Amino acid sequence: MKTLNEYMEMSYRMEIVEDKDEGGFVASYPDLPGCITCGETIESVVANALDAKKAWIEAALVEGIEIYEPNSLEDYSGQFKLRLPRSLHRALAEHSQREGVSMNQYCVYLLSKYDAVYLK
C-alpha cells in the first residue's frame, strides 16, 4: 500500500464546474468517489479540492478502503470504430469536403463541439 504522500503526488484529474444555483464552483476527483468540495472562486475551489483530496485519502487509508490510481491517457488509443448509416456517412463526407477538412477532422470537431455542450 502506498503512503499518503505517494498518493498526493499522483496526478488525479480534477473536474471543476460552475454552480449556477448556489454560486461559486464545485470540484471533484472522478477517480476518488465522493471526493467533492466547493469554493466561491476558482482559486478557492482548487485549494479546497487539494485539502479534500488529502482528507479523502487519509480517511481511505485509515478505513482500509481501496484507493485507485488515477486513470491515464495512456489507457486510450485515440481510436475507435464506428458503424453508421450510409446516408450519414455521405452527409459527413460532403460537409467535411465543403469545409475543406478531412472527414476525420470534421467528426472530431463535431464530437468536441457537442461534448462541450454536454458538459454544461
Side-chain angles (χ1 to χ4, degrees), residues 29-47:
Y29 291 94
D31 295 323
L32 304 175
C35 185
I36 187 168
T37 190
C38 60
E40 292 297 317
T41 65
I42 292 287
E43 294 79 12
S44 66
V45 79
V46 168

Side-chain angles (χ1 to χ4, degrees), residues 93-107:
E94 290 171 353
H95 295 153
S96 64
Q97 187 175 21
R98 267 196 300 269
E99 293 294 324
V101 297
S102 70
M103 191 168 78
N104 200 27
Q105 288 176 313
Y106 186 69
C107 289

Side-chain angles (χ1 to χ4, degrees), residues 1-118:
M1 185 174 282
K2 293 180 175 41
T3 67
L4 172 63
N5 288 337
E6 289 172 321
Y7 282 114
M8 289 300 292
E9 290 175 5
M10 292 183 181
S11 296
Y12 285 94
R13 181 171 51 101
M14 180 192 307
E15 291 184 352
I16 300 175
V17 295
E18 185 177 3
D19 186 342
K20 295 183 182 196
D21 295 330
E22 301 290 323
F25 299 89
V26 176
S28 64
Y29 291 94
D31 295 323
L32 304 175
C35 185
I36 187 168
T37 190
C38 60
E40 292 297 317
T41 65
I42 292 287
E43 294 79 12
S44 66
V45 79
V46 168
N48 293 346
L50 293 173
D51 289 341
K53 175 183 167 185
K54 182 177 180 184
W56 190 98
I57 293 170
E58 284 174 334
L61 289 170
V62 168
E63 297 294 323
I65 296 171
E66 184 175 3
I67 303 170
Y68 297 103
E69 293 191 13
N71 276 333
S72 168
L73 287 179
E74 294 173 7
D75 296 338
Y76 302 94
S77 68
Q79 298 178 17
F80 67 96
K81 291 183 181 184
L82 179 66
R83 299 225 182 262
L84 54 144
R86 290 177 186 217
S87 58
L88 178 56
H89 188 174
R90 179 182 63 201
L92 291 169
E94 290 171 353
H95 295 153
S96 64
Q97 187 175 21
R98 267 196 300 269
E99 293 294 324
V101 297
S102 70
M103 191 168 78
N104 200 27
Q105 288 176 313
Y106 186 69
C107 289
V108 168
Y109 160 75
L110 291 174
L111 288 169
S112 298
K113 178 180 175 182
Y114 288 104
D115 190 54
V117 168
Y118 170 78

